[in-house]
Amino acid sequence: MKSLTRLLNILLFLSFGYQTQAQTKLTKYVNTFIGTAPLTDPKILGYELPQGWRSWAGLTFPGSSLPNAMVQLSPVTEFGSGAGYEYEDDIIYGFAHTNKGHWNLCNIPVLPLSNPTEKFGSKFSHKNESSAPGYYQVYLDDYEVNVKLTSTLRAGFHQYEYKNSRDRQILFLMGKANSGVSTWNIEQVGTSAVQGFQGGENIYFYATVNGKIAKLDQKDAGKRSGYAIMHLADGGKGPVELKIGLSFVSTANAKENLEKEIGHKTFMQIRDEATAKWEGLLSNIRVKGGTEKQKQLLYSCLYRSFLWPALRSDVNGEFKDAKRNVVKGNFNYYTEPSLWDTYRNKDVLLGLITPKVTLDVIKSMKDVGDKTGFIPTFFHGDHGASSIAGSYLRGIDDFDIKGTYQLLLRNANVDGGARPFVKEYIEKGYISDPDVKNPHVETKAKAGVSKTLEYSYDDYSLAQIAKKLGDSSNYRILMARSKNYKNMFDPVTRFMRGRLDNGDWIKPFNPQYPYYEYMYREANAWQVSFYAPHDMKGLIELYGGAKEFESKLDSLFTLPWNPKYIARNVETMIGQYCQGNQPDHEAPFAYTIIGKPEKSQKIIDKILNELYGIGDEGLALSGMDDAGEMSAWYVFSSLGLYPFSATDPNYIVTAPLFDEVKWKTSSGKVLTISKPGKGRGITEIKVDGKINQGYFISHDLFRNGGKVEINTQ
């Protein structure tokens, strides 16, 4: 009897273990190569690529990383490219330890060598290459070395299997990085370790090998042409293991990061820990139904949404602040988010799944503000206001909100700080542009239309904090300023149009022509003219009402793109709409605002089904992933919710690609989204069994859990 009971217990345990294992293997859906291949189809791009151009599509990296990690360890096939790795290349020059997919970083490149020539780099084949979250592998044909990589938050773990065990070398390509190297140094410490520094991004490192170093050669020390080669002593058995810790503070901290995070753990232990970390994150969202490709795209996009911002503080809490001073914080210090891109959706997704990271990102931005007088911005606009306000209104509030608010007020009002031309914006209610004869794509000016529209939204965002803090005076001022977008609307052409200093409309005016910095930022008039996510009612009134607004919106998606108008990043067109860049990413949802969700759904479905996972191998994206914004757009839209106004704690409902979505919220509750029918046109939305009025649902569902049923026809 006891034996039977024991046998039953074992079977139950094995059954439970199998079910748990079967339920948690979501990393198998992640393809880290998606976004590394070029987009070349002119029918999708909207134009023929000029000779020598590579479209700014994807720009992702396939290497090893934990969520929001300092170390992002990935192969480099071309320095100066977006993420260092381009799928069409066949030579690897090194394995760099930082990344973003934004023409910078790619620091401390390392490459195993065996009988090298004077020119470093090895041929490789995708047939002998593989990857998964927290893991990368490739065989280097020229050096006959099989490379395996994994990583922790602040350390990388390399494993090299050399075919030739007698000539084992490791190249430290110290003069190379995407962001440029100002100086560098490296030195041997003990029999099996080196440490050093790479200037530019100013990164320190400490690395060990599981054998003796015979010698460390250096050439052109400190120069961009320079490098170092570690020669390993003969006689070692098994794979060479290089463990390297990074720090933005000191080599001592880099060593401590390495010892605390890897220590004596094996390669497989670190890899398994990385897999488990990603499984835990991905398992917050589980789906039923949908195709295998849709699941692959969902989880690959979810994965990419959590690679940036990146950790910058060490295990001991130290980091270098905005003034380059070493300080010790009681929070994890992160890089600033790519706010111009990610405030729309990615920052919201980050807060929904990893609120602790979002909290520390806000504290990091506040620390920058304390040292510089302004909350940091990124590239354009002042969208820290939206990112912080949206997080605060969604319940992430364990930070100095009053101090942060005061800094954001400085951003919004002090000239020469975070908002260029804010004095003119306040005085006139708009930002002008100069009268330029024959402006072209790269004409540089104020991008006054884009700035005015974006500052208006940022003012609205800041006003929501003012309201919650009881600052009625600033609330009224900021809400009045949030209507400034109307000052860019030309009622004759019915476009957001540039104005001269005297208030006149800029002539001549071609709403189809894309500008990078004249009147608009990386956009044309069509692409910005539907942007007022905080005041769609007011925007629709400018057009003369819902019918006229619908007609104009129809033209956005149907007026053919002129293939002669070529601007990098303004690509992947549906009519004049550009999915390949951020400025009009809210536009597909705008039909829903006027009660025509079926028209929104047709555009959204076209984007989801045709503009992600493009090409024969399904590895191209419709535009730059931009630190996860393109990916987060897919995640939200495929699940049936989208933060139409990222500041506001609500979500517009669309038809999900999946029959059922179970979203485990940060409060431990579950939000279930179901779409029982096969149709794509929404006819009714029920929340917890009750018919929902309108097409928005409250963030309360993420706080308390609940059920959303989306009926379609």
Side-chain angles (χ1 to χ4, degrees):
M1 189 68 181
K2 287 182 179 178
S3 298
L4 181 60
T5 303
R6 189 179 298 114
L7 179 61
L8 287 171
N9 286 336
I10 290 171
L11 289 172
L12 282 169
F13 175 78
L14 290 174
S15 175
F16 176 77
Y18 172 78
Q19 289 171 11
T20 303
Q21 186 180 35
Q23 188 184 34
T24 56
K25 287 197 172 180
L26 296 175
T27 50
K28 71 177 183 179
Y29 289 114
V30 177
N31 185 343
T32 68
F33 291 103
I34 292 177
T36 64
L39 181 60
T40 58
D41 188 344
K43 293 180 181 177
I44 298 175
L45 283 168
Y47 57 84
E48 291 275 357
L49 280 168
Q51 189 172 2
W53 272 36
R54 188 186 196 269
S55 64
W56 285 358
L59 305 187
T60 61
F61 63 92
S64 175
S65 178
L66 289 188
N68 304 103
M70 178 186 295
V71 167
Q72 300 187 319
L73 178 51
S74 191
V76 176
T77 64
E78 184 178 347
F79 286 100
S81 62
Y85 180 94
E86 297 184 341
Y87 195 79
E88 65 271 30
D89 294 339
D90 61 359
I91 296 176
I92 288 175
Y93 296 103
F95 302 98
H97 291 80
T98 62
N99 215 298
K100 183 187 179 186
H102 225 282
W103 294 283
N104 57 357
L105 302 176
C106 289
N107 296 100
I108 324 292
V110 172
L111 184 70
L113 309 174
S114 182
N115 296 313
T117 63
E118 292 183 0
K119 195 172 183 179
F120 302 123
S122 173
K123 289 269 191 179
F124 76 103
S125 168
H126 295 306
K127 294 179 181 178
N128 297 316
E129 182 185 36
S130 62
S131 70
Y135 176 73
Y136 174 83
Q137 173 275 328
V138 70
Y139 186 79
L140 301 178
D141 296 335
D142 292 337
Y143 303 129
E144 298 182 306
V145 180
N146 190 45
V147 176
K148 296 178 181 178
L149 309 174
T150 189
S151 57
T152 64
L153 285 173
R154 303 171 179 89
F157 201 143
H158 303 233
Q159 192 176 83
Y160 306 143
E161 296 171 347
Y162 289 82
K163 186 174 182 180
N164 179 6
S165 62
R166 297 190 61 81
D167 180 36
R168 300 173 304 170
Q169 305 173 26
I170 300 175
L171 170 71
F172 286 75
L173 203 54
M174 297 300 297
K176 288 286 190 179
N178 264 12
S179 47
V181 177
S182 57
T183 185
W184 61 268
N185 63 68
I186 188 172
E187 61 176 336
Q188 184 174 340
V189 284
T191 58
S192 303
V194 295
Q195 65 183 23
F197 170 79
Q198 191 179 53
E201 294 289 339
N202 298 324
I203 297 180
Y204 300 85
F205 67 93
Y206 180 90
T208 65
V209 289
N210 61 337
K212 290 186 177 180
I213 301 172
K215 62 177 178 176
L216 181 68
D217 288 335
Q218 299 188 46
K219 182 178 180 181
D220 294 345
K223 298 180 180 179
R224 291 188 179 184
S225 58
Y227 57 86
I229 297 179
M230 177 194 293
H231 297 263
L232 302 176
D234 291 336
K237 294 182 179 179
V240 170
E241 293 186 337
L242 174 74
K243 305 173 185 178
I244 180 168
L246 260 59
S247 169
F248 286 79
V249 174
S250 67
T251 53
N253 279 14
K255 182 180 181 182
E256 184 180 8
N257 290 341
L258 177 61
E259 291 172 344
K260 291 285 178 65
E261 292 189 353
I262 293 183
H264 298 292
K265 292 179 181 178
T266 66
F267 183 91
M268 280 308 300
Q269 282 178 305
I270 298 300
R271 181 186 173 182
D272 287 346
E273 288 176 5
T275 302
K277 183 68 174 178
W278 280 111
E279 285 288 356
L281 190 151
L282 297 173
S283 66
N284 284 287
I285 296 173
R286 293 190 174 277
V287 298
K288 291 181 181 178
T291 66
E292 288 298 295
K293 181 174 182 178
Q294 287 169 340
K295 289 176 183 175
Q296 182 190 67
L297 286 171
L298 168 63
Y299 288 109
S300 297
C301 286
L302 186 58
Y303 165 81
R304 283 195 305 273
S305 297
F306 286 84
L307 295 174
W308 197 263
L311 183 65
R312 286 295 178 261
S313 55
D314 296 323
V315 291
N316 63 9
E318 291 182 347
F319 60 89
K320 278 191 177 175
D321 66 11
K323 293 292 188 181
R324 309 302 302 160
N325 295 317
V326 177
V327 297
K328 193 166 187 174
N330 58 0
F331 60 93
N332 283 328
Y333 189 76
Y334 288 92
T335 58
E336 66 190 57
S338 296
L339 291 164
W340 191 66
D341 311 301
T342 62
Y343 84 94
R344 304 167 186 275
N345 50 38
K346 208 293 284 285
D347 293 354
V348 177
L349 185 62
L350 191 75
L352 290 175
I353 292 180
T354 55
K356 178 61 168 64
V357 173
T358 292
L359 180 64
D360 284 348
V361 169
I362 293 172
K363 289 180 178 180
S364 302
M365 295 169 72
K366 166 69 161 50
D367 190 85
V368 173
D370 289 339
K371 308 300 168 58
T372 65
F374 300 95
I375 293 290
T377 60
F378 177 83
F379 189 65
H380 208 253
D382 183 21
H383 302 315
S386 174
S387 184
I388 293 171
S391 300
Y392 181 57
L393 296 176
R394 288 178 174 86
I396 299 174
D397 56 8
D398 188 20
F399 64 97
D400 178 8
I401 180 59
K402 291 183 179 179
T404 305
Y405 172 62
Q406 290 302 318
L407 287 167
L408 286 169
L409 281 175
R410 282 181 53 80
N411 279 29
N413 293 290
V414 177
D415 200 33
R419 295 193 189 187
F421 315 113
V422 71
K423 186 172 183 288
E424 181 184 23
Y425 170 81
I426 293 171
E427 291 175 353
K428 294 180 178 178
Y430 68 90
I431 295 170
S432 65
D433 269 286
D435 191 4
V436 177
K437 289 185 178 180
N438 302 315
H440 53 84
V441 167
E442 297 288 350
T443 296
K444 297 187 184 302
K446 298 180 184 177
V449 178
S450 292
K451 279 191 174 69
T452 301
L453 269 55
E454 291 179 32
Y455 289 173
S456 298
Y457 183 68
D458 299 329
D459 285 338
Y460 168 82
S461 302
L462 188 52
Q464 305 318 299
I465 301 179
K467 182 179 181 180
K468 193 161 184 180
L469 293 179
D471 184 356
S472 58
S473 176
N474 274 308
Y475 173 75
R476 287 193 297 270
I477 293 169
L478 290 164
M479 283 301 291
R481 282 168 43 173
S482 76
K483 308 295 185 184
N484 282 347
Y485 75 90
K486 296 182 178 182
N487 296 330
M488 306 306 323
F489 187 80
D490 173 14
V492 176
T493 62
R494 298 198 308 157
F495 284 105
M496 299 293 176
R497 181 176 177 181
R499 304 184 80 155
L500 299 172
D501 183 62
N502 65 4
D504 290 347
W505 299 112
I506 288 177
K507 298 176 183 178
F509 177 64
N510 181 354
Q512 294 187 40
Y513 194 83
Y515 295 103
Y516 248 57
E517 292 183 70
Y518 182 60
M519 294 194 286
Y520 311 103
R521 193 65 170 108
E522 297 188 15
N524 67 11
W526 278 103
Q527 291 149 13
V528 304
S529 289
F530 301 91
Y531 179 87
H534 60 299
D535 186 27
M536 290 302 290
K537 181 181 178 182
L539 180 67
I540 291 165
E541 287 174 355
L542 289 179
Y543 281 98
K547 187 177 181 180
E548 290 78 5
F549 180 78
E550 181 182 2
S551 175
K552 193 75 169 183
L553 201 55
D554 287 343
S555 297
L556 170 70
F557 294 108
T558 56
L559 184 66
W561 180 258
N562 188 333
K564 294 181 181 179
Y565 293 163
I566 301 173
R568 281 195 187 273
N569 222 20
V570 182
E571 61 192 25
T572 312
M573 317 307 296
I574 302 175
Q576 295 294 307
Y577 171 77
C578 173
Q579 177 63 21
N581 207 7
Q582 283 71 33
D584 54 356
H585 270 188
E586 290 79 16
F589 304 91
Y591 284 114
T592 302
I593 306 295
I594 55 173
K596 297 290 183 72
E598 69 282 357
K599 297 184 79 169
S600 277
Q601 199 62 55
K602 285 182 180 179
I603 302 297
I604 293 165
D605 284 350
K606 182 177 178 64
I607 295 167
L608 291 172
N609 294 326
E610 299 178 19
L611 301 183
Y612 286 79
I614 309 168
D616 294 337
E617 296 179 87
L619 298 180
L621 292 175
S622 56
M624 280 181 63
D625 196 42
D626 274 320
E629 189 278 343
M630 196 71 66
S631 290
W633 196 100
Y634 186 96
V635 171
F636 275 119
S637 300
S638 70
L639 298 180
L641 303 177
Y642 191 83
F644 184 79
S645 168
T647 296
D648 295 305
N650 56 34
Y651 310 88
I652 198 167
V653 177
T654 61
L657 292 179
F658 307 97
D659 299 333
E660 182 182 81
V661 176
K662 284 194 175 293
W663 192 318
K664 186 172 68 178
T665 74
S666 59
S667 63
K669 305 292 179 63
V670 175
L671 169 60
T672 301
I673 305 165
S674 62
K675 188 182 77 67
K678 297 298 181 184
R680 300 300 297 161
I682 295 176
T683 57
E684 183 183 71
I685 301 165
K686 289 184 178 179
V687 176
D688 292 333
K690 297 179 180 179
I691 294 176
N692 190 67
Q693 298 301 314
Y695 296 94
F696 284 85
I697 62 171
S698 170
H699 179 71
D700 288 342
L701 285 161
F702 280 98
R703 291 192 180 99
N704 307 321
K707 295 182 179 180
V708 178
E709 183 179 307
I710 302 169
N711 293 312
T712 60
Q713 66 177 13

